[in-house]
Amino acid sequence: MKLKTKVIAVVNQKGGVGKTTTTLNLGIGLAKRGKKVLLIDCDPQGDLTSSLGYKNKYSLKATLTEAMDDVINGTCMVSEDDIIHHSEGIDLMPANQNLSGMELKLVMVMNREKILKGYVDSLRGLYDYILIDSLPSLGMFSVNALAAADSVIIPVQAQYLAAEDMTQLMQSVMMMRKNINPSLEIEGILMTLVDGRTNMAKEVIKEIREKYGAHIRIFETEIPIGVKASEATAAGKSIYAYDKRCEVAKAYENFTEEVLRDGERTKIQHRTSQCR
Ligand code: ADP
Ligand code: MG
């Protein structure tokens, strides 16, 4: 039976805001709720790959580099059998440093912004969700991720200037929608690494809810800052496998529930001015 696949890109041009952690724990959260999930590591750093325990990234059978090469060359070197089945119930198309050569290669190929889309579309029908973890830039890989996706989740760290950084990201999403992927939606904004003890965090969250909340879904769940999250990353496990009772695990469980609740999603407003 063919599944109706939803492709979600997790994007933010800033590093260290919880993109990889969110991709991983949302993906495994959805799998725990019975969904068939593929995670795609679209960052040459391969953080998602190592966060899932694959530390020796050069021993991997196939990576996203070869999968994208197939799309460019019209070959079939990578098959569904090359996708990794992880013990926590998700599938993974991993990445390693070789992927950085792909960004250069893309400059010279036709339809360069839709190469990842070519690969992702070939897997539609096999999964309920495909989540794409992107790297911290608004370069060609992020454009590929946004072109391949049906919607985006934007993790935002509750920190000084977070609202300003969002403006640039929103403009990029609007541009993608206008020029490359008209049906791209914003699934929502997720506040991450929230240190509830500080006034700064409270103020930033208030500012973002006021500035964007009327037009874009801001998830009710806020992911607290917690040492267990970074320990889980280092241990190569999800937060549920590492310590399912900790606050971060509970938060990611609630967030997964919110993503599953359909219909609340707000379509991106056409008028960019409202997002400024
Ligand atoms: P990005 O992918 O946006 O660069 P990561 O998900 O890799 O961000 O997170 C950056 C670092 O912060 C990682 O070491 C990760 O383990 C840690 N981290 C992520 N979420 C939390 C959290 N809620 N509390 C504490 N540390 C976190
Ligand atoms: Mg990352």
Side-chain angles (χ1 to χ4, degrees):
M1 192 188 71
K2 273 203 155 198
L3 300 171
K4 190 171 185 310
T5 307
K6 179 160 197 180
V7 182
I8 305 177
V10 180
V11 291
N12 190 325
Q13 77 275 25
K14 281 200 80 175
V17 298
K19 287 186 293 295
T20 302
T21 308
T22 297
T23 309
L24 191 160
N25 290 306
L26 172 62
I28 293 178
L30 289 167
K32 282 157 71 75
R33 295 294 310 270
K35 301 294 177 191
K36 201 158 183 312
V37 181
L38 171 70
L39 306 186
I40 297 181
D41 191 349
C42 190
D43 181 349
Q45 293 280 343
D47 287 347
L48 178 64
T49 304
S50 40
S51 301
L52 282 163
Y54 304 98
K55 306 281 182 195
N56 185 359
K57 295 193 284 265
Y58 288 93
S59 65
L60 297 164
K61 205 167 146 204
T63 67
L64 187 60
T65 314
E66 290 84 61
M68 288 176 80
D69 263 330
D70 272 348
V71 178
I72 294 170
N73 303 326
T75 50
C76 301
M77 306 296 280
V78 178
S79 75
E80 282 162 33
D81 296 339
D82 293 317
I83 293 175
I84 295 174
H85 305 296
H86 188 268
S87 59
E88 289 193 60
I90 48 103
D91 281 359
L92 170 71
M93 177 41 71
N96 60 24
Q97 200 66 45
N98 292 343
L99 191 60
S100 52
M102 179 56 70
E103 197 155 27
L104 271 180
K105 195 182 277 182
L106 285 176
V107 176
M108 288 172 282
V109 303
M110 296 277 288
N111 235 347
R112 64 185 66 104
E113 63 282 345
K114 294 198 176 156
I115 302 301
L116 179 61
K117 180 179 167 57
Y119 177 59
V120 168
D121 283 350
S122 75
L123 299 170
R124 279 186 191 267
L126 300 176
Y127 294 94
D128 294 299
Y129 288 90
I130 297 179
L131 307 184
I132 305 170
D133 184 26
S134 63
L135 75 176
S137 90
L138 290 174
M140 199 36 83
F141 276 147
S142 296
V143 168
N144 265 264
L146 293 173
D150 300 316
S151 67
V152 290
I153 287 175
I154 305 170
V156 174
Q157 186 174 1
Q159 241 192 5
Y160 183 56
L161 292 181
E164 279 73 7
D165 293 335
M166 290 271 310
T167 309
Q168 198 191 358
L169 182 54
M170 287 302 162
Q171 284 167 349
S172 302
V173 173
M174 298 305 167
M175 251 167 62
M176 282 298 299
R177 201 172 139 103
K178 192 157 174 267
N179 299 311
I180 295 172
N181 184 357
S183 56
L184 182 67
E185 292 180 10
I186 296 185
E187 196 72 33
I189 295 172
L190 174 68
M191 302 306 306
T192 55
L193 289 132
V194 175
D195 187 349
R197 296 163 305 183
T198 65
N199 284 333
M200 169 68 82
K202 286 180 198 144
E203 277 164 27
V204 170
I205 291 171
K206 188 165 167 269
E207 188 186 354
I208 288 186
R209 287 197 186 276
E210 278 169 5
K211 198 167 174 186
Y212 297 103
H215 317 292
I216 296 170
R217 178 182 183 186
I218 300 176
F219 293 104
E220 271 170 43
T221 310
E222 293 167 4
I223 309 295
I225 198 161
V227 69
K228 301 280 183 189
S230 40
E231 286 174 7
T233 303
K237 292 178 177 175
S238 76
I239 193 68
Y240 318 109
Y242 188 73
D243 182 353
K244 65 173 192 256
R245 285 192 184 80
C246 74
E247 292 303 312
V248 178
K250 285 184 204 150
Y252 272 113
E253 251 165 25
N254 291 339
F255 169 56
T256 303
E257 290 290 330
E258 275 196 70
V259 172
L260 280 168
R261 246 182 269 146
D262 232 353
E264 284 180 48
R265 197 179 47 234
T266 318
K267 296 230 173 194
I268 298 172
Q269 295 291 309
H270 290 279
R271 281 181 290 154
T272 47
S273 59
Q274 289 185 322
C275 291
R276 293 227 173 92

